[in-house]
């Protein structure tokens, strides 16, 4: 099974840098210690790096693209992104689960094509820190034909980390994110 890891799309990032999905201007933060998970490039911030904290509605954005109606399952939550456009996820990190976004407990939340939640799978820190183990679990979750999309979220804060879709190797409309 192939899957595609997706950071927040560049056109959506352009919008979020002006007005976030809660209708507010994002908050500028200088990350003195570094380590904040950046949803624009799927890496951690560096000490002293300027980032924006914005409200993001990942299921809403997916639903706009697919025609789904998530209804009450729609959530808006905080994400960190670069203040200025960046190059996005690095192609040198390889396909599969991005190691920089692991290391803590995660929830792999699966959604049906209509936007409703199918299931939530707790991923312990040791599995989240292991890109191979996390990738195997993602493959397994896509074995269920009802799984339309997976959102990876932090357990402790509930924040959206990134989206995972079934891989379509020859689809020119997909992002430039690596396909496993």
């Amino acid at each position: 099974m192939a899957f595609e890891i997706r950071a927040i799309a560049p056109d959506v990032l352009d919008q979020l840098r002006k007005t976030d999905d809660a209708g507010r201007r994002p908050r500028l933060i200088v990350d003195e210690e570094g380590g904040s998970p950046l949803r624009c490039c799927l890496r951690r911030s560096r000490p002293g790096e300027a980032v924006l904290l914005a409200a993001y509605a990942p299921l809403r954005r997916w639903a706009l693209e697919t025609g789904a109606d998530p209804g009450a399952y729609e959530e808006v939550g905080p994400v960190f992104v670069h203040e200025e456009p960046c190059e996005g996820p690095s192609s040198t990190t390889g396909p599969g689960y991005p190691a920089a976004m692991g290391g803590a407990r995660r929830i792999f939340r699966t959604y049906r094509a209509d936007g409703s939640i199918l299931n939530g799978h707790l991923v312990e820190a040791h599995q989240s820190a292991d890109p191979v183990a996390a990738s195997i679990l993602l493959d397994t979750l896509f074995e269920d034909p009802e799984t339309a999309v997976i959102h990876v979220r932090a357990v402790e804060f509930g924040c959206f980390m990134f989206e995972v879709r079934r891989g379509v190797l020859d689809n020119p409309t997909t992002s430039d994110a690596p396909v496993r």
Side-chain angles (χ1 to χ4, degrees):
M1 178 70 62
F3 60 81
E4 179 182 8
I5 302 293
R6 288 184 169 218
I8 299 174
D11 61 323
V12 174
L13 290 165
D14 289 342
Q15 296 167 15
L16 293 175
R17 287 183 179 109
K18 296 173 189 151
T19 305
D20 68 17
D21 285 347
R24 294 185 290 269
R25 292 209 32 89
R27 186 177 302 166
L28 177 64
I29 297 171
V30 175
D31 191 352
E32 297 298 334
E33 294 181 24
S36 296
L38 298 167
R39 280 44 163 236
C40 49
C41 55
L42 302 182
R43 71 164 174 83
R44 299 287 177 156
S45 62
R46 296 181 182 104
E49 194 167 22
V51 298
L52 295 176
L53 180 59
Y56 179 58
L59 199 57
R60 177 190 311 165
R61 297 290 184 156
W62 175 79
L64 287 171
E65 186 180 325
T66 64
D69 179 11
Y73 294 106
E74 181 182 304
E75 297 177 84
V76 178
V79 294
F80 292 103
V81 300
H82 275 116
E83 178 186 18
E84 298 294 328
C86 67
E87 293 182 17
S90 170
S91 61
T92 62
T93 59
Y97 191 88
M101 302 307 273
R105 293 186 307 162
R106 299 284 182 247
I107 290 289
F108 288 8
R109 192 179 295 167
T110 58
Y111 293 89
R112 294 179 183 90
D114 67 1
S116 63
I117 292 176
L118 176 61
N119 212 327
H121 301 270
L122 177 63
V123 179
E124 293 296 341
H126 70 277
Q127 190 175 16
S128 170
D130 180 350
V132 173
S135 293
I136 290 169
L137 178 55
L138 289 170
D139 274 336
T140 301
L141 296 176
F142 277 120
E143 288 176 2
D144 184 337
E146 283 195 86
T147 300
V149 67
I150 300 170
H151 285 176
V152 174
R153 293 180 165 269
V155 171
E156 284 74 15
F157 298 102
C159 303
F160 170 84
M161 301 300 288
F162 57 88
E163 182 174 277
V164 187
R165 295 190 187 185
R166 292 181 188 278
V168 181
L169 298 174
D170 59 352
N171 184 346
T173 63
T174 58
S175 76
D176 292 330
V179 175
R180 182 180 184 289

